[in-house]
Amino acid sequence: MEQLLAFRLGGELYGLEIAHIQEVVEAPPLYYIPRAPAAMPGALNFHGSILPVLDLAAFLDFTTGKRDARVLVLSPAVAHLALAVTALRGVVPFAPEALLPTREEQTRATCIRAVLTQGREMINLLDLKTLLGRLESL
Amino acid sequence: MAIDMSKYRDMFLSESREHLQTMGRLLVELEKCPDDREGLDALFREAHSIKGMAASMGYRATAELGHHLEDFLSGFRAGGAIPPAAIDRVLAGVDLLEGLIDDLAAERPERDVRAFIDGSAAASPRAPRPTTPAAEAGAPGNGAVTAPVASGEEILKIAIELVSGAVAPAARALLMLRELAAQGEVVDADPNERQLLQGGTVPRLELRLRSWRAPQEIKDLLLAMPDVARVSCVVERLRPATRQSRERTVRVRTGLLDQFINLTGELVTNRYMLQTAYNDGRDREMRDGLERLTRLITDLHHHVLQVRMMPLASITGRLPRMVRELEQQTGKEVALRIAGEEVELDRSILEALADPLMHLVRNAVDHGIEERGEVQVRAGREKDLVLVEVRDNGRGLDAEAIRRKAVAAGLLSPGQAQRMVERDLFPLICLPGFSTRTEVSETSGRGVGMDVVKAVTEQFGGTLQIASERGRGTSIQLRLPLSVAIIRLLLVECGGELVALPITRVLRTLELERAEIRSSGRQMVVPLGNELVPLLSLRRMLRQPAKPVAGTIPVVVSEARGRKIALVVDRLVGQREAFVKSLAFPLDRIAGVSGATILGDGRIVFIIDPQGLLDEGAASGGRSGVSP
């Protein structure tokens, strides 16, 4: 079994594999980034590393409103980036074979790599590769 | 001969400190292995070096103490072993020498060494050295009177007349010369040693000696030798060391200097190439030349940073000594292992790291090791970073104690504390004032704390990680950049936010009165000298909401595309030196933002590049001008 961290973006439920997350930081102070896109509310000082926070809900065009004060710091192997979400839900165990793949164009459009059904809910697994690709043209 | 010794002084200070560190380390090693002949020899050589250097600089008390330690050691060197009491004494001598070096660094008179030297008879189980009758008169440690410490340099001018009937005057003079050489440094001699070796008649020997001895001592020493008819010995005083702004010195490998020469050569070639291309109007060659120039400048920058590199050994030298003292104080048995001392770091990082490293080792001995154990200091390269790790195999961090302490200090609620996993609890020890020990221990409870260790590490763009396992030990890992990019920044406030400009991009700052501003078409301008400089709103350039201009207007004059521009800001905050961190993806994708720095209080400030901001603004059709 693997684990993912589930979170809400607007009204949708998303998830990201725990392995890609280095730490969840409790309400860090965010500092102003000049000329940052609107979906980047600031940068945090993470043990001396300067990481921009990407507001995922805003970036993926969900209706934005409240933001969870906690941010997800991605593993440095993935990117020097922290993610803000609408609300953190919790850790969900899953079997990799239970993931339903999405079509390629769907992945490109929504940054969803696969879908996991859990009870009556669907968790969209975030595709980091597509997400980071979109950041290339800030 | 008036030599300005002040420029050698810093070299003397830094080299002496290195010698003293080495002595400390050797002594600790000798204590474990008292009959290590090579160690004893090395120790002797270190003392000898200090003496020689101090004597040539005219630092009388330092030289005298160095000489004394050298003498003291030579006895044990002959015996082939050094007893613990003698090690303690030499360590005390090393401490005193360190005090003297501090005195000299602070340009104070050297402290008294008499009491220490006179105490040697009682402390030493045997005579320091079988002394010859001739040396007896002036040998140190026998109560010879030393003149008060001179503040300047002293060179003794000595003239010796030999009795006319001397059997082998040349040989006799040679012996005198050598005896004098043992009392200081012979600057010149007439006849010199080579001439004396050829024999012949020598009615008179004249020489200049740089020595810490008083003239009378030298005179007595010489008069005690056979065949001496008359001696004159006067001080030739050099001008006292002047107070000058002291440049810090580094030693540079000659290989590196060769590379500088080569680079200079290439730059000269490059210059001619550009000149030719320019004269002939050949754009392509101009472009190639400029590319080459860019590469050469990068190379040069890289090599300049190299000059600043020093091995970790320059700050680990004190550790064995410190651990030994901790062993004595705590009664613990600690094996200290140091690996990777050859790893190089920027000098300024090393200097800042010295105290934190000592603190970590002290902590490991004090809090980690229980009765006996091992403390490892390990350094190694990890890509562009250097990992410095202090690891012990002691009791490990007490997560429960940290939890209790954090709750007691109001850092966590009891609920939060219970939920927190160990890994998250450990970083709490780096919070200011956090210590898991309730009582302040003599060894760890002073000076820097973990908060300082963390702050220093992060100030240089490094990171600190703590790993610990109950009963297995603790490891503190510092990851530091190899070198630093220190630049001066001007901090300004704009739209309620802090941003920084490299001072190299700032021509001047000023506060404008409304009346000084003119309009030229739709553009506001300000006359500076005989130029009309366009006034640009930094708020607009940063895409912040505009603010009506009112009162005096703080302005930063910079340059973009070869033209002066005046940037209107909300407030000029001030200048500071900062370690610039380059930005990683995705921050590096933001145009006009060239880097960032972390201020002392942990705040992040981004560095903006006006030119980059304007380029980007033009591309997106934005206007940055201040409209009337």
Side-chain angles (χ1 to χ4, degrees):
Chain A
M1 288 295 258
E2 287 186 29
Q3 289 184 315
L4 60 78
L5 184 63
F7 48 85
R8 246 175 358 88
L9 297 180
E12 292 272 319
L13 197 56
Y14 271 73
L16 182 62
E17 292 95 321
I18 294 277
H20 295 324
I21 300 170
Q22 185 177 5
E23 200 170 315
V24 174
V25 183
E26 200 79 29
L30 296 187
Y31 299 99
Y32 170 72
I33 311 173
R35 287 288 193 94
M40 229 176 236
L44 79 141
N45 177 355
F46 182 69
H47 307 311
S49 293
I50 297 174
L51 303 180
V53 174
L54 184 71
D55 181 343
L56 259 190
F59 191 69
L60 297 177
D61 297 321
F62 288 97
T63 48
T64 53
K66 273 178 125 181
R67 202 167 65 208
D68 201 306
R70 293 166 288 185
V71 300
L72 284 62
V73 173
L74 297 184
S75 140
V78 177
H80 296 276
L81 184 68
L83 301 176
V85 298
T86 309
L88 271 184
R89 275 279 284 272
V91 176
V92 176
F94 71 98
E97 54 278 14
L99 292 176
L100 306 171
T102 51
R103 287 201 309 278
E104 203 181 313
E105 62 270 26
Q106 209 179 342
T107 302
R108 267 205 309 276
T110 57
C111 288
I112 297 171
R113 182 167 80 80
V115 175
L116 181 76
T117 54
Q118 224 219 357
R120 278 178 298 162
E121 283 184 315
M122 265 183 24
I123 301 175
N124 301 314
L125 212 58
L126 191 68
D127 186 56
L128 283 176
K129 224 170 114 193
T130 312
L131 182 77
L132 296 176
R134 281 217 211 163
L135 286 172
E136 286 287 348
S137 52
L138 263 188
Chain B
M1 187 173 58
I3 317 165
D4 179 11
M5 298 300 283
S6 64
K7 62 179 166 192
Y8 299 113
R9 194 180 116 112
D10 295 337
M11 213 183 289
F12 165 78
L13 293 175
S14 87
E15 288 186 14
S16 307
R17 287 199 171 108
E18 279 175 35
H19 285 301
L20 289 174
Q21 283 199 0
T22 310
M23 284 184 81
R25 203 188 65 227
L26 288 167
L27 282 161
V28 173
E29 283 164 11
L30 277 167
E31 188 171 45
K32 295 193 179 109
C33 188
D35 55 354
D36 173 10
R37 225 166 229 289
E38 277 175 32
L40 257 172
D41 286 350
L43 190 62
F44 177 82
R45 281 194 302 271
E46 296 292 327
H48 179 79
S49 301
I50 293 172
K51 178 204 77 175
M53 290 192 307
S56 63
M57 292 294 295
Y59 299 141
R60 193 178 286 213
T62 307
E64 193 176 355
L65 180 54
H67 187 107
H68 168 73
L69 291 179
E70 185 188 345
D71 261 6
F72 183 70
L73 284 168
S74 69
F76 304 113
R77 215 178 154 204
I82 181 164
I87 286 182
D88 284 337
R89 173 151 179 86
V90 180
L91 278 172
V94 168
D95 282 342
L96 186 53
L97 277 170
E98 279 179 355
L100 285 159
I101 301 296
D102 288 344
D103 290 341
L104 294 168
E107 304 197 39
R108 290 190 295 258
E110 295 168 285
R111 63 192 65 185
D112 181 49
V113 297
R114 265 289 122 220
F116 178 83
I117 291 174
D118 292 343
S120 74
S124 169
R126 53 183 124 162
R129 182 173 70 167
T131 46
T132 61
E136 193 75 44
N142 294 340
V145 182
T146 320
V149 176
S151 60
E153 297 294 338
E154 278 186 4
I155 288 188
L156 303 178
K157 258 180 106 156
I158 303 165
I160 307 157
E161 276 178 46
L162 298 177
V163 295
S164 54
V167 181
R172 182 63 66 199
L174 194 62
L175 286 177
M176 288 176 196
L177 198 55
R178 287 185 176 162
E179 182 55 42
L180 288 171
Q183 309 302 326
E185 185 198 340
V186 176
V187 180
D188 49 26
D190 178 27
N192 62 25
E193 192 167 330
R194 198 171 43 81
Q195 289 162 335
L196 288 174
L197 281 170
Q198 285 158 8
T201 54
V202 181
R204 188 179 164 89
L205 173 67
E206 283 182 38
L207 72 149
R208 288 194 297 172
L209 180 73
R210 189 176 287 135
S211 174
W212 66 96
R213 294 216 176 283
Q216 193 57 47
E217 288 179 68
I218 297 291
K219 212 168 165 172
D220 291 348
L221 174 75
L222 288 167
L223 285 171
M225 296 180 84
D227 293 343
V228 174
R230 203 171 315 144
V231 175
S232 93
C233 182
V234 292
V235 174
E236 179 188 77
R237 190 173 287 273
L238 295 177
R239 64 192 167 93
T242 45
R243 274 177 187 276
Q244 281 175 349
S245 62
R246 307 228 172 270
E247 297 283 321
R248 286 196 293 186
T249 59
V250 285
R251 268 174 282 163
V252 180
R253 289 192 304 277
T254 46
L256 204 51
L257 287 177
D258 291 345
Q259 281 172 314
F260 276 116
I261 300 280
N262 290 344
L263 265 170
T264 312
E266 281 190 69
L267 281 166
V268 170
T269 312
N270 186 249
R271 185 205 165 277
Y272 282 110
M273 196 185 130
L274 279 169
Q275 179 82 57
T276 313
Y278 174 77
N279 289 346
D280 303 349
R282 288 198 299 265
D283 280 357
R284 213 195 124 76
E285 277 174 35
M286 280 290 279
R287 208 171 47 238
D288 290 351
L290 284 172
E291 263 170 36
R292 201 175 148 70
L293 184 62
T294 310
R295 191 181 58 71
L296 287 173
I297 290 172
T298 311
D299 240 31
L300 185 62
H301 183 224
H302 172 77
H303 283 111
V304 169
L305 287 179
Q306 282 285 309
V307 175
R308 299 177 51 89
M309 300 298 261
M310 279 168 53
L312 190 74
S314 58
I315 60 167
T316 49
R318 292 192 62 92
L319 296 177
R321 176 91 197 266
M322 190 187 77
V323 169
R324 175 187 185 268
E325 278 162 18
L326 288 174
E327 281 182 301
Q328 289 178 343
Q329 282 165 18
T330 59
K332 297 175 184 178
E333 246 178 71
V334 183
L336 175 70
R337 277 185 221 289
I338 304 179
E341 279 186 306
E342 72 289 348
V343 172
E344 290 192 325
L345 279 154
D346 188 276
R347 179 190 172 90
S348 59
I349 297 182
L350 276 177
E351 281 171 1
L353 198 62
D355 284 346
L357 188 63
M358 279 173 62
H359 178 75
L360 290 177
V361 172
R362 204 184 284 139
N363 255 357
V365 175
D366 211 33
H367 299 323
I369 303 296
E370 281 170 295
E371 269 160 33
R372 65 168 60 86
E374 183 180 282
V375 175
Q376 274 188 54
V377 176
R378 192 170 66 86
R381 280 282 290 273
E382 280 187 358
K383 289 191 214 156
D384 284 349
L385 295 172
V386 169
L387 167 72
V388 179
E389 183 187 30
V390 176
R391 170 190 288 274
D392 67 67
N393 60 358
R395 57 170 78 98
L397 289 175
D398 183 349
E400 283 317 309
I402 297 174
R403 237 179 221 126
R404 277 197 304 276
K405 183 82 194 260
V407 173
L411 297 164
L412 297 175
S413 71
Q416 275 176 319
Q418 276 323 305
R419 279 197 303 276
M420 257 197 178
V421 296
E422 281 199 356
R423 196 168 55 102
D424 294 334
L425 282 167
F426 296 152
L428 293 177
I429 65 169
C430 295
L431 292 173
F434 199 100
S435 162
T436 53
R437 278 277 169 97
T438 35
E439 81 281 16
V440 172
S441 83
E442 189 199 341
T443 47
S444 297
R446 67 187 145 92
V448 298
M450 282 304 290
D451 54 328
V452 176
V453 177
K454 184 167 186 274
V456 166
T457 311
E458 292 186 358
Q459 182 201 344
F460 289 98
T463 59
L464 180 149
Q465 278 182 327
I466 304 168
S468 184
E469 208 180 320
R470 210 81 182 103
R472 300 288 294 274
T474 304
S475 149
I476 312 274
Q477 299 189 335
L478 310 180
R479 283 183 175 76
L480 294 153
L482 290 175
S483 65
V484 291
I486 316 165
I487 63 169
R488 254 192 117 65
L489 294 173
L490 173 70
L491 297 184
V492 300
E493 202 181 281
C494 192
E497 308 288 358
L498 212 51
V499 293
L501 288 113
I503 213 78
T504 49
R505 305 302 304 267
V506 176
L507 300 175
R508 60 184 290 200
T509 61
L510 52 147
E511 305 259 342
L512 286 178
E513 295 297 331
R514 194 88 178 82
E516 293 174 80
I517 299 171
R518 300 186 201 158
S519 65
S520 154
R522 291 208 52 198
Q523 173 69 58
M524 302 283 263
V525 295
V526 56
L528 288 177
N530 47 11
E531 269 179 278
L532 285 178
V533 178
L535 212 52
L536 304 177
S537 159
L538 188 59
R539 276 175 175 254
R540 284 204 195 176
M541 290 165 78
L542 297 177
R543 299 190 190 124
Q544 292 171 331
K547 189 187 88 167
V549 182
T552 59
I553 305 155
V555 163
V556 178
V557 181
S558 181
E559 218 168 18
R561 298 185 208 121
R563 280 190 60 201
K564 278 188 190 155
I565 51 171
L567 300 171
V568 176
V569 301
D570 290 358
R571 194 164 71 87
L572 300 166
V573 178
Q575 291 189 22
R576 70 189 64 196
E577 300 242 287
F579 295 94
V580 176
K581 299 167 81 91
S582 53
L583 300 175
F585 174 82
L587 279 175
D588 62 348
R589 292 296 189 272
I590 303 177
V593 176
S594 58
T597 187
I598 297 180
L599 301 183
D601 58 6
R603 277 186 296 168
I604 299 171
V605 178
F606 284 86
I607 299 159
I608 54 170
D609 165 32
Q611 166 111 40
L613 287 175
L614 283 173
D615 289 348
E616 183 64 12
S620 59
R623 279 183 50 89
S624 306
V626 176
S627 310

